[in-house]
Amino acid sequence: MNSSIQRQWNTIERKLEMYVPKLADSLRKPVDSKSIREVEKVVGCRLPQTLRDSLQVHDGSDEPLFDNERFLPVKDMVKIYNMRNETVEKLLKIGARSPDTIKDWWR
């Protein structure tokens, strides 16, 4: 594990404990390497090392942490990934075109 990530989490934890203890309490226990590998298998790629290191300090949070967003635990990452893929598949089945096939589709 990257010691820089651990130091950063130590700083975050201290500040949360000082100013918003409820959020400090919402930080989850570390995730194990096996769970990280399972997520990587589902999404089909290796997670960035800094995310892997962070998850080995805290497997997400139970309350919003950053800009009113939760730091997702690995089980929720998989759940959201699967939900989004299922949605795309359903849209394609009803005739929606993939953004990859439309040049500048957002304009």
Side-chain angles (χ1 to χ4, degrees):
M1 171 182 316
N2 184 327
S3 62
S4 172
I5 296 293
Q6 182 64 60
R7 283 192 308 274
Q8 291 170 13
W9 271 113
N10 290 343
T11 300
I12 292 168
E13 290 165 2
R14 277 194 312 276
K15 297 296 182 181
L16 288 175
E17 288 167 2
M18 286 172 51
Y19 299 108
V20 268
K22 178 182 175 187
L23 290 183
D25 293 341
S26 81
L27 294 172
R28 299 169 58 93
K29 301 281 187 215
V31 71
D32 59 22
S33 296
K34 180 182 175 196
S35 296
I36 292 173
R37 286 191 304 274
E38 289 171 1
V39 170
E40 292 172 334
K41 184 178 177 183
V42 169
V43 301
C45 67
R46 183 174 168 86
L47 297 177
Q49 189 61 48
T50 52
L51 177 56
R52 294 173 114 253
D53 292 343
S54 286
L55 290 167
Q56 291 178 314
V57 177
H58 293 292
D59 180 22
S61 64
D62 293 322
E63 297 289 331
L65 266 186
F66 310 110
D67 293 329
N68 207 28
E69 295 289 335
R70 281 182 54 226
F71 173 32
L72 293 176
V74 293
K75 69 177 178 63
D76 290 349
M77 289 179 193
V78 169
K79 185 177 175 181
I80 290 170
Y81 177 84
N82 288 333
M83 179 186 66
R84 288 180 177 174
N85 280 335
E86 289 168 10
T87 301
V88 167
E89 288 174 16
K90 288 177 185 177
L91 288 170
L92 292 173
K93 282 182 183 177
I94 63 168
R97 295 186 295 175
S98 167
D100 294 336
T101 63
I102 304 171
K103 184 175 173 66
D104 298 330
W105 63 273
W106 59 89
R107 292 184 189 178

